[in-house]
Amino acid sequence: MKITILGVGAYGLALAKVFHGNGSKVTLWTKFKEEYDIITLKRENPGILPGVKIPNDIEITTDLKNAVSDAKIVILAVPMKAVRMVARELKNMIFEEQILCIVSKGIEQITNKFMSEVVLEETEHENLCMISGPSFAKEIAHGGSTGFVVASFNDLSNATVKSCLENDNIIVSTSKDLIGVQVAASSKNVFAILMGYVDSLDLNDSTRASVLTCLVNDQRLIIEVLGGKSQTVFTYAGIGDMLLTCMSSKSRNYTFGNYLGQGLTKEAAMEKMETTTVEGLYTLESLRDLLHEKEVEVRSVDLLYDIIYNNEKIDNILKSIKNN
């Protein structure tokens, strides 16, 4: 079975290694000739995932139509900001029986739409699914063990992606809660910023655990309010991904929050991280807007917004976000 991965970032390359190792024929696509030249020559993306070699029989191309023409599964692994543009290009290239699988996480700014909504709007392709779970790309690329959720309204699509992704190291569960999985995948980046901030305050472990408990409950509420199923919080895509992102310095969002807690401005924090993109920062604004439209107050979301944009100083963070 052929699987095409659109995007040669860390996550796309990690998934390519998994699918290839499981016996699928894999094609990688990049829009950029310079990126194509480097990866083809070195058989790795040294600026993104150094040391992770791309097997020689994985095709690399800049020809989008050829890349997706005979693929059973097309993985959309481009940065969130590029999802609409790439989806628009795909509209006349994909067929009904192909599975379009999204791994890009977040909420589109301005429209406040989740990635499946963006892709459906641009492609009119309804055979969509989402892969999510606790996974750092480097660990997955090196054969680390983890659990994923594959979410789709289509049982056959769920089963197909599961069979291609699962192996001795990767456990895959399936879900029909496409919206809930995306809400979880997006909101955990916001909560990771807040947990990074909390950890910079040198609070005791009991307080940290209590704060995290409140955040898990807030995620459950947000999933339900935005149209998902509350039980999705108890999956790999929910609390699994949440724990990973909220408790590890390997998380860019957590690190950003930690720098904020040390007194840096958001601009200074990003400069220190040598990045212009912190996913949770952009998701925060959209998530806050969506919740306000629903007239639902989630204290942790509002608190983080005030910390970042209104220079709010919090004396007792647990009391400030406690669940009623």
Side-chain angles (χ1 to χ4, degrees), residues 258-276:
N258 201 267
Y259 285 146
L260 292 179
Q262 294 174 32
L264 273 65
T265 65
K266 63 183 178 66
E267 292 81 10
M270 286 192 284
E271 183 178 352
K272 189 167 184 177
M273 294 168 62
E274 299 181 344
T275 184
T276 57

Side-chain angles (χ1 to χ4, degrees), residues 91-302:
K91 180 173 183 179
N92 298 315
M93 298 180 184
I94 52 176
F95 304 97
E96 184 178 352
E97 63 272 15
Q98 290 178 298
I99 303 167
L100 188 50
C101 188
I102 304 163
V103 299
S104 308
K105 300 173 181 178
I107 308 173
E108 186 180 54
Q109 288 187 291
I110 301 176
T111 67
N112 291 339
K113 292 183 177 180
F114 288 94
M115 294 299 97
S116 68
E117 297 173 309
V118 172
V119 173
L120 179 60
E121 185 174 278
E122 291 294 340
T123 65
E124 300 179 3
H125 188 78
E126 296 184 351
N127 193 3
L128 303 175
C129 81
M130 177 87 181
I131 297 174
S132 189
S135 51
F136 288 135
K138 186 175 181 179
E139 295 176 355
I140 300 304
H142 286 293
S145 298
T146 194
F148 284 107
V149 173
V150 174
S152 172
F153 298 126
N154 187 309
D155 288 336
L156 181 58
S157 295
N158 270 344
T160 301
V161 176
K162 174 183 168 75
S163 68
C164 293
L165 183 59
E166 200 163 45
N167 57 35
D168 289 342
N169 293 323
I170 293 178
I171 299 170
V172 179
S173 61
T174 60
S175 169
K176 286 191 172 182
D177 189 15
L178 182 60
I179 294 299
V181 166
Q182 290 181 92
V183 175
S186 302
S187 62
K188 57 96 178 182
N189 287 328
V190 173
F191 295 132
I193 295 176
L194 188 55
M195 276 306 297
Y197 181 92
V198 167
D199 284 353
S200 74
L201 305 179
D202 292 325
L203 303 175
N204 62 52
D205 288 345
S206 300
T207 304
R208 292 173 65 248
S210 298
V211 170
L212 188 56
T213 301
C214 292
L215 297 184
V216 170
N217 194 54
D218 281 354
Q219 186 180 73
R220 177 199 58 78
L221 173 62
I222 292 169
I223 288 172
E224 194 168 20
V225 165
L226 296 184
K229 298 177 181 178
S230 60
Q231 60 264 37
T232 293
V233 78
F234 300 112
T235 67
Y236 297 125
I239 196 169
D241 205 6
M242 181 104 150
L243 289 174
L244 177 74
T245 314
C246 287
M247 299 177 69
S248 175
S249 59
K250 295 178 184 177
S251 162
R252 182 160 50 188
N253 295 284
Y254 174 95
T255 301
F256 175 74
N258 201 267
Y259 285 146
L260 292 179
Q262 294 174 32
L264 273 65
T265 65
K266 63 183 178 66
E267 292 81 10
M270 286 192 284
E271 183 178 352
K272 189 167 184 177
M273 294 168 62
E274 299 181 344
T275 184
T276 57
T277 303
V278 177
E279 299 90 340
L281 187 61
Y282 301 111
T283 301
L284 171 63
E285 297 185 52
S286 296
L287 187 61
R288 185 170 176 269
D289 287 346
L290 288 171
L291 291 170
H292 284 191
E293 285 175 14
K294 299 285 186 179
E295 298 183 348
V296 173
E297 179 189 24
V298 177
R299 292 184 180 181
S300 57
V301 173
D302 289 334

